[in-house]
């Protein structure tokens, strides 16, 4: 039987809800007030939208003490939103601030829990070119290299999701590394200081150490200059 996609599509289609969901694709949990600001709506309106997204199973609540934060309900939701981004028109850039932010997102961002943008595409290209990854599986050398970089490869293999699928990048129109391995590698890069959170919910910054590491370990030359 075909799935009934209309209710989910209707939830995503409303502009304010779409803006909130896009903000959460970066993988960070955000407060309702921050989501209201990003969507350009009042706090009561944001609460109403978030209640609908909760009921629809697209977001979930994370509680820290008396505070409530919202995040996507799973990587599957992020994959749907990323796919929609690839077939949607990009918003017009109307200010210098928007232009700078667009360039940051194009260079490096998170696609839920894995690295995307030029950095993510370059990383996957390097892994393939170096022979670390073949047909969605790590080579012996690839596993050795990632282990040296403190990537939890065994944990990625145990995860209840695809191990190392390709994810088509919505800005580069080429593949970056997704799945459990992409998430594990991104966590290791954050822990080692190769990347750090950027100024917006989705953006990340590739540090000088990260640029050197990508070039040395993965022959990724696309990001050698800040």
């Amino acid at each position: 039987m075909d799935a009934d996609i209309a209710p989910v599509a209707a939830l995503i289609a409303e502009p304010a809800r779409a803006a909130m969901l896009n903000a959460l694709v970066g993988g960070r949990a955000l407060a309702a007030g921050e989501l209201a600001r990003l969507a350009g709506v009042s706090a009561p309106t944001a609460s109403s939208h978030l209640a609908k997204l909760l009921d629809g199973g697209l977001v979930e609540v994370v509680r820290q003490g008396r505070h409530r934060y919202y995040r996507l309900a799973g990587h599957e939701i992020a994959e749907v939103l990323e796919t929609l981004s690839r077939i949607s028109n990009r918003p017009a850039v109307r200010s210098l601030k928007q232009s700078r932010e667009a360039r940051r997102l194009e260079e490096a961002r998170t696609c839920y829990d894995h690295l995307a943008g030029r950095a993510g595409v370059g990383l996957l290209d390097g892994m393939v070119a170096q022979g670390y990854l073949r047909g969605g599986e790590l080579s012996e050398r690839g596993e050795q290299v990632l282990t040296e970089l403190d990537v939890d490869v065994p944990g990625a293999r145990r995860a209840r999701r695809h191990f190392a699928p390709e994810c088509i990048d919505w800005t580069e129109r080429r593949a970056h590394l997704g799945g459990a391995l992409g998430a594990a590698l991104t966590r290791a890069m954050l822990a080692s200081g190769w990347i750090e959170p950027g100024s917006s919910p989705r953006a990340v910054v590739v540090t000088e150490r990260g640029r050197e590491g990508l070039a040395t370990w993965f022959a990724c030359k696309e990001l050698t200059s800040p």
Side-chain angles (χ1 to χ4, degrees), residues 137-198:
E137 185 51 68
L138 283 175
S139 65
E140 182 177 347
R141 176 57 180 155
E143 187 149 356
Q144 290 173 349
V145 166
L146 295 193
T147 299
E148 288 182 49
L149 294 174
D150 294 325
V151 178
D152 184 8
V153 176
R157 294 193 191 282
R158 292 192 300 268
R160 290 186 170 183
R161 60 193 292 193
H162 293 301
F163 178 63
E166 292 188 354
C167 181
I168 301 299
D169 195 278
W170 71 270
T171 55
E172 296 299 299
R173 298 297 195 267
R174 294 157 56 203
H176 59 247
L177 179 63
L181 184 62
L185 185 47
T186 301
R187 287 195 298 271
M189 293 175 71
L190 281 164
S192 64
W194 285 25
I195 58 176
E196 56 189 28

Side-chain angles (χ1 to χ4, degrees), residues 21-203:
L21 291 169
N22 278 328
L24 295 174
V25 170
R28 303 182 201 177
L30 300 176
E34 176 68 1
L35 289 169
R37 184 186 68 79
L38 292 168
V41 297
S42 66
T45 299
S47 294
S48 175
H49 285 312
L50 287 168
K52 292 177 181 178
L53 292 172
L54 278 167
D55 289 342
L58 298 186
V59 301
E60 61 187 16
V61 173
V62 180
R63 289 180 173 82
Q64 292 185 1
R66 293 183 296 174
H67 301 287
R68 288 161 54 96
Y69 300 90
Y70 295 84
R71 66 185 179 193
L72 294 184
H75 63 89
E76 301 91 345
I77 311 300
E79 290 167 6
V80 169
L81 295 169
E82 189 79 1
T83 299
L84 288 172
S85 295
R86 294 200 303 270
I87 61 175
S88 303
N89 293 326
R90 299 181 68 176
V93 174
R94 303 185 185 279
S95 68
L96 180 60
K97 179 180 179 181
Q98 287 178 323
S99 177
R100 288 172 176 168
E101 184 59 31
R103 287 199 300 270
R104 293 189 191 106
L105 289 174
E106 288 170 357
E107 175 167 281
R109 64 182 185 277
T110 45
C111 176
Y112 188 57
D113 57 4
H114 55 268
L115 186 64
R118 283 197 303 276
V121 168
L123 173 62
L124 177 58
D125 286 349
M127 292 182 71
V128 172
Q130 298 290 98
Y132 300 160
L133 191 66
R134 301 191 188 100
E137 185 51 68
L138 283 175
S139 65
E140 182 177 347
R141 176 57 180 155
E143 187 149 356
Q144 290 173 349
V145 166
L146 295 193
T147 299
E148 288 182 49
L149 294 174
D150 294 325
V151 178
D152 184 8
V153 176
R157 294 193 191 282
R158 292 192 300 268
R160 290 186 170 183
R161 60 193 292 193
H162 293 301
F163 178 63
E166 292 188 354
C167 181
I168 301 299
D169 195 278
W170 71 270
T171 55
E172 296 299 299
R173 298 297 195 267
R174 294 157 56 203
H176 59 247
L177 179 63
L181 184 62
L185 185 47
T186 301
R187 287 195 298 271
M189 293 175 71
L190 281 164
S192 64
W194 285 25
I195 58 176
E196 56 189 28
S199 58
S200 72
R202 293 197 64 179

